[in-house]
Amino acid sequence: PLSDTDLMAVWFENNPAPAGGGHDHHGTGYHARYSLSADSGATWSTPQRITGESAVTEFTTVLALGQNSHALVAWLDGRDRATNGAVQKLYAQTLLADGADALVDPSVCDCCQLSLVRTGDGALLAYRGRTKDEIRDIRLARWRDGKWETPRPLHDDGWQINACPVNGPRLVAAGERIAAVWFTAAQNDARVQAKFSADGGATFGPAVRLDLGRPQGRVDAAWLPDGAAVFI
C-alpha cells in the first residue's frame, strides 16, 4: 500500500535475451514492472518498467514514502553486466517522482533479495555485497534527504564464495527498533544470525546465532505486538 487507497504491484518478466546478450540465466529481457491502483485494487494502470535507464532489473524492494503516494524502490541491476561482463550493481530511485536512477553500490551479489525499512532517520536498505575477493557479506545503506550514504557492513562474516547463494537478508522495523537476520556459511559453518538496533540502525548489537544446525537460510522476520521478534 502507498496510502489508504493507492496500491502498487511489482513483478518480474523473463524474456529470452538476444543471441550473445544478457548474463547467466537472466537476459536483457528480464526486468521488473509495476502497476498502480488508485481505487483499492478495483482497477490498475498500464504496467511500466521500474526504470527506463536499464533493460535488466531484478529483485526489487519497495517502501511507501507517504509523500504524494511516492515510493522508494531499490533493485539489482545488470545494465553493465549485460554488455561487458561487469558485476551486478544496486540502483534505486524515488518512483513516481520523476527522479533519475541512483547508484547505491557498484558491486553486489547477483541474485540475493533486498530488504528496505523506514526509520526516523530516513530509510535503511540491507543487501548482500560483493568484493573483488568474492567476500559476499551483508551491507547496509541509508537513504536520507533524497540521497544515499556510503554503504557499510552489517557484520564481518568473511564469507568467500565465488557464486551467488540466492539468500538475502531481512530487516523489520518497529519504530526505532530494527531487527536484521541473514544467512552465512563463512568458515564452512552454515548459520542464521540476527542483530538488533535500538536507534534506527545507526548501531547494532552483537550477532546472535538463531539456528540449531545445518540451516538453509531463506530468512524472514516480524515484530510481534508484545515487542518480541519472531524469525523464520
Side-chain angles (χ1 to χ4, degrees):
L2 300 179
S3 69
D4 290 340
T5 57
D6 296 326
L7 304 176
M8 173 185 287
V10 180
W11 67 95
F12 300 99
E13 291 185 0
N14 188 5
N15 298 318
H23 68 87
D24 299 335
H25 60 289
H26 299 322
T28 54
Y30 190 90
H31 48 254
R33 290 183 181 271
Y34 72 93
S35 181
L36 301 171
S37 174
D39 51 16
S40 299
T43 61
W44 293 86
S45 65
T46 300
Q48 301 182 57
R49 294 190 181 194
I50 60 170
T51 175
E53 298 181 22
S54 174
V56 187
T57 58
E58 53 189 300
F59 290 89
T60 303
T61 185
V62 181
L63 179 67
L65 296 177
Q67 304 164 0
N68 300 316
S69 296
H70 292 166
L72 183 62
V73 182
W75 66 90
L76 301 185
D77 195 295
R79 66 184 69 187
D80 294 327
R81 184 168 184 177
T83 56
N84 59 23
V87 298
Q88 197 89 315
K89 298 183 178 182
L90 177 58
Y91 276 85
Q93 68 154 282
T94 307
L95 204 62
L96 313 181
D98 299 322
D101 295 353
L103 178 62
V104 181
D105 195 317
S107 180
V108 298
C109 206
D110 302 60
C111 41
C112 286
Q113 74 267 20
L114 319 173
S115 189
L116 185 60
V117 296
R118 183 195 305 274
T119 77
D121 190 23
L124 192 66
L125 175 65
Y127 60 97
R128 191 174 295 281
R130 180 182 182 183
T131 71
K132 293 181 179 179
D133 296 325
E134 299 293 5
I135 302 299
R136 305 200 186 201
D137 288 346
I138 305 302
R139 297 176 186 168
L140 299 172
R142 186 177 298 276
W143 182 79
R144 178 192 293 124
D145 298 327
K147 297 181 180 180
W148 287 94
E149 297 182 349
T150 300
R152 58 188 174 90
L154 170 63
H155 187 70
D156 184 18
D157 290 312
W159 189 13
Q160 186 176 46
I161 174 174
N162 188 19
C164 180
V166 196
N167 221 318
R170 179 77 163 121
L171 296 177
V172 287
E176 292 305 281
R177 294 185 301 149
I178 307 292
V181 59
W182 72 99
F183 172 84
T184 183
Q187 294 82 47
N188 293 318
D189 179 18
R191 56 198 184 274
V192 172
Q193 301 183 132
K195 277 189 168 185
F196 295 91
S197 172
D199 54 14
T203 61
F204 281 85
V208 178
R209 184 165 183 169
L210 302 178
D211 66 276
L212 298 178
R214 302 184 66 182
Q216 295 184 1
R218 280 58 172 182
V219 298
D220 206 345
W223 286 106
L224 299 179
D226 64 0
V230 60
F231 299 99
I232 301 173

